[in-house]
Amino acid sequence: MPRQVDHEERRRRIAEAVCALADSSGLEGVTLRDVATRAGVSMGAVQRCFRTKQEMLVFALDHVGERVTERVTAQVNERAQPRTASGTGPTGSALEHVLGEVALVDEVRRTEARVWLAFVAQAAVTPELATVLRDRYAGLHPLLVRLLRESRPTAPAPHGGGAPHADRDPHQAAHTLLALADGLTTHVLIGHLTPQAALELLNAQIDAFTQAGPMAAGPREVAP
């Protein structure tokens, strides 16, 4: 009997082929035939999985975004664990590690950073891809707000010290830090900053938001 094809596994395999092509030459000239060849499947197999090239690119971008989300979740869960009696355990704040994952500045993330920026460039002229990116950023926002609030418990600012609550809005801080992390991806990829310098800048900005004064407790949001 012929081996049963795992449809989802084939879709993921095709998505990985799209990412490999994005890494080597960008997305603009990628065709279904290129992807089929890279994935080691027939053109018909690609077309059975995806009706159009746009549908294939949207799935591939979501595939990349899901990998980042999984790592972000793992970082949060790891740092939620109590330290051992000997004092060993994860170091660094969850906020630092989450934004570090988003920034993709580590050497081991260099390929993923190139792929991500190829999709970002394509999203500027492709509304369907732009929607995926907006949804990913929107999904991260509540987590960043929560981590910001947890890193600086709500309390009245000491007389003459700290920043007023209006200036410590966690929603605004979350938007700022996410935009910074995203921008650092480009600066590292083109060689303007080293990964270490990028992380130092990111962590310094995190410190500026979490140490200067208490975070506002209200639900105020900054319009995108």
Side-chain angles (χ1 to χ4, degrees), residues 132-165:
V132 174
L133 287 175
R134 287 196 302 273
D135 288 346
R136 284 288 167 186
Y137 292 140
L140 276 171
H141 184 79
L143 173 62
L144 295 178
V145 169
R146 176 171 69 82
L147 293 176
L148 280 159
R149 283 180 172 148
E150 289 174 355
S151 67
R152 192 68 176 179
T154 302
H159 179 68
H165 283 193

Side-chain angles (χ1 to χ4, degrees), residues 101-171:
E101 289 291 352
V102 172
L104 299 173
V105 296
D106 288 343
E107 189 64 39
V108 294
R109 305 291 183 219
R110 192 60 53 88
T111 294
E112 199 167 34
R114 286 194 295 266
V115 172
W116 183 258
L117 288 182
F119 274 110
V120 170
Q122 192 68 24
V125 293
T126 309
E128 295 88 348
L129 294 178
T131 297
V132 174
L133 287 175
R134 287 196 302 273
D135 288 346
R136 284 288 167 186
Y137 292 140
L140 276 171
H141 184 79
L143 173 62
L144 295 178
V145 169
R146 176 171 69 82
L147 293 176
L148 280 159
R149 283 180 172 148
E150 289 174 355
S151 67
R152 192 68 176 179
T154 302
H159 179 68
H165 283 193
D167 294 333
R168 310 302 310 150
D169 176 52
H171 291 283

